[in-house]
Amino acid sequence: MPRKWHQPVASKAASKDHQFLPVCRQDMVRRGWNELDVLLVSGDAYIDHPAFGVPLLGRLLEAHGYRVGIVAQPRWDCPDDIACLGRPRLFAGVSAGSLDSMLAHYTAFRKKRSDDAYTPGGKAGARPNRACLVYTNLVRQAFPGLPVVLGGIEASLRRSAHYDFWADRLRRSILFDAKADLLAYGMSEQAVLEIAARAKRGEEWDAIRGTCSIGSPPPDAKHLPSFEQIQAEPTLLLEATRAIEEHVHHGKQTLVQGHGQRHLIIHPPDPPLDTADLDRVYSLPFARHAHPSYTQPVPAEDMIRWSVTAVRGCGGGCTFCSLAMHQGRRLRSRSAESVLQEVRTLTKQPQWKGAISDIGGPT
């Protein structure tokens, strides 16, 4: 059964003074905060729009009473940018951004890309290769002992042992390589609220749906071919991949994959959000444009600013596309009134020119 969300508390985010989530100490002072509950680190520039996972989850946590800040595209040669908002009380969430960082940097021919649509000015090189690993290490340097949760497309699609195209070899689950505490896969709204609620109560992050952890296998779990078995017999990767895909779409069972003497535990996926919950998510008070601190436009903002997400999920399952693995194949739709209300919100934007670029979703 889907977990029932508690009702969001009244949020100040809709006021003009709080149009964006804090990105610096001054923003926190203006809100009267001396510390954060949750710090979110992203490989993308901060565009406060529901098409971007980190701002969406930040707004959702904010609506449920958590103090959330964002560090976008931090420098990776020192932890200073990560530390600029201070140590959060509960945990840090890390995402490479809207794209796998290696895909953001290289073409299918392994040629270096000259631009990045998710960076001010479209400049390449604002995020590191294998950003989840680098950002987690920076968080560890800045805040020793702070729990770290991985999320986003890079972490989600690398949650188990996987073939890495760029290195042309099998790699372990990114949870082992990053040395994070937990990995939230898929869209993660329900998972991140459960993670935050348990952290607030001082409880263990045990068996949270939609997450992966490292631990002891439960007795009724289904075992995937281990990392070492796939290394010895590469065709077993097909068996493991098929099992994970079935798990995303139909799975109620826990999956286990051995990595040496340790075990990756892939807990069952969260049920997709229903219409009422999708409506609540997309009614959050997004500013719908890039943070005003940027002096150059972010190309991705122009692509999505005037779009409306009406559905989630994709029934296609095309071999070249990861959307079905990330959002699932079951289609979920917002209500017509919710979509109309978002359109009304668009018409009140300062740069509104009278045209909506897209109403749709992945399918």
Side-chain angles (χ1 to χ4, degrees), residues 209-229:
R209 294 192 67 149
T211 69
C212 302
S213 57
I214 298 170
S216 301
D220 59 344
K222 177 179 179 178
H223 285 255
L224 303 175
S226 70
F227 174 76
E228 290 75 19
Q229 287 174 325

Side-chain angles (χ1 to χ4, degrees), residues 305-332:
R305 185 173 181 184
W306 309 112
S307 67
V308 176
T309 300
V311 297
R312 281 189 183 178
C314 183
C318 301
T319 56
F320 58 82
C321 181
S322 62
L323 277 169
M325 278 291 285
H326 196 63
Q327 293 195 11
R329 292 193 183 184
R330 284 178 284 175
L331 303 187
R332 292 89 70 200

Side-chain angles (χ1 to χ4, degrees), residues 204-284:
E204 296 291 326
W205 287 341
D206 182 49
I208 297 177
R209 294 192 67 149
T211 69
C212 302
S213 57
I214 298 170
S216 301
D220 59 344
K222 177 179 179 178
H223 285 255
L224 303 175
S226 70
F227 174 76
E228 290 75 19
Q229 287 174 325
I230 298 172
Q231 274 190 317
E233 189 176 341
T235 56
L236 290 176
L237 181 61
L238 299 176
E239 178 185 330
T241 301
R242 184 177 61 211
I244 290 171
E245 183 164 349
E246 290 175 354
H247 188 248
V248 169
H249 306 312
H250 310 293
K252 298 179 181 178
Q253 202 172 16
T254 299
L255 302 181
V256 173
Q257 186 174 58
H259 285 65
Q261 299 301 310
R262 299 196 292 171
H263 294 88
L264 174 72
I265 315 298
I266 306 176
H267 303 289
D270 251 324
L273 299 186
D274 61 19
T275 294
D277 283 334
L278 281 174
D279 288 354
R280 279 191 281 271
V281 166
Y282 287 94
S283 69
L284 295 172

Side-chain angles (χ1 to χ4, degrees), residues 7 16 41 46 80 96 114 119 170 173 215-216 223 227 236 264-265 268 280 290 329 352:
Q7 287 300 311
K16 291 183 179 179
V41 182
Y46 177 20
D80 293 358
S114 59
T119 300
L170 190 72
S173 163
S216 301
H223 285 255
F227 174 76
L236 290 176
L264 174 72
I265 315 298
R280 279 191 281 271
R329 292 193 183 184
W352 169 250

